[in-house]
Amino acid sequence: MPKTLIHRGISDVYLHEQGDKAIIQTVQDVSPVLERAKELHNRGQYRTGMGQRHVASIPIIVLDAWARQRGKNFADVMNDQELFSLFLSDPAHGYFIIDKSSV
C-alpha cells in the first residue's frame, strides 16, 4: 500500500516501498487541462490575454514524464525548441494543442 507523501490538490505524490527499493510516483488528473484546451480550440481562442499565440496547454507532469522516457527532464524540454517541437508534433499529444495551425 503506497504512502501519500504530499497532497497538493492538483497532484499527489506517493511512496511505494518494495523490499529494499523505494519508488516515488506523482499522479495528476489532467482531464481539466484537456477540457480547457479543447474548449479554447473550439472557440478559436488562439491568443492569450497578452496577445501572444497560445499553442498548447500541457501539464508539467505530462511533459516531465515524456522527457524522462527519453533520458531528459522538464528543463531540457523547455530549453530545447527541437525537443519541445518533437513533443508537440506527436499525434498522441494532440489533445493538448490549442492552435493547431503550425504545429
Side-chain angles (χ1 to χ4, degrees):
M1 180 95 174
K3 296 178 189 175
T4 303
L5 297 179
I6 301 171
H7 174 67
R8 292 183 262 198
I10 294 175
S11 63
D12 295 314
V13 179
Y14 299 101
L15 172 67
H16 300 267
E17 295 176 328
Q18 298 174 345
D20 62 343
K21 295 182 181 180
I23 299 170
I24 295 177
Q25 175 188 32
T26 305
V27 178
Q28 178 180 347
D29 177 7
V30 299
S31 57
V33 176
L34 292 170
E35 289 300 318
R36 180 175 177 269
K38 180 180 178 181
E39 180 182 329
L40 291 173
H41 172 75
N42 289 342
R43 283 192 291 171
Q45 193 170 341
Y46 305 142
R47 297 282 172 190
T48 66
M50 300 291 289
Q52 298 170 322
R53 183 172 172 231
H54 194 168
V55 176
S57 187
I58 307 163
I60 292 172
I61 193 171
V62 171
L63 201 53
D64 187 56
W66 179 84
R68 289 181 187 278
Q69 290 174 344
R70 285 152 184 75
K72 304 286 184 179
N73 62 38
F74 178 78
D76 293 331
V77 178
M78 298 312 301
N79 291 312
D80 184 338
Q81 185 62 43
E82 287 184 35
L83 191 57
F84 190 63
S85 293
L86 186 62
F87 176 90
L88 291 173
S89 65
D90 186 333
H93 304 135
Y95 298 107
F96 299 109
I97 309 299
I98 295 168
D99 183 357
K100 302 178 189 222
S101 64
S102 65
V103 174

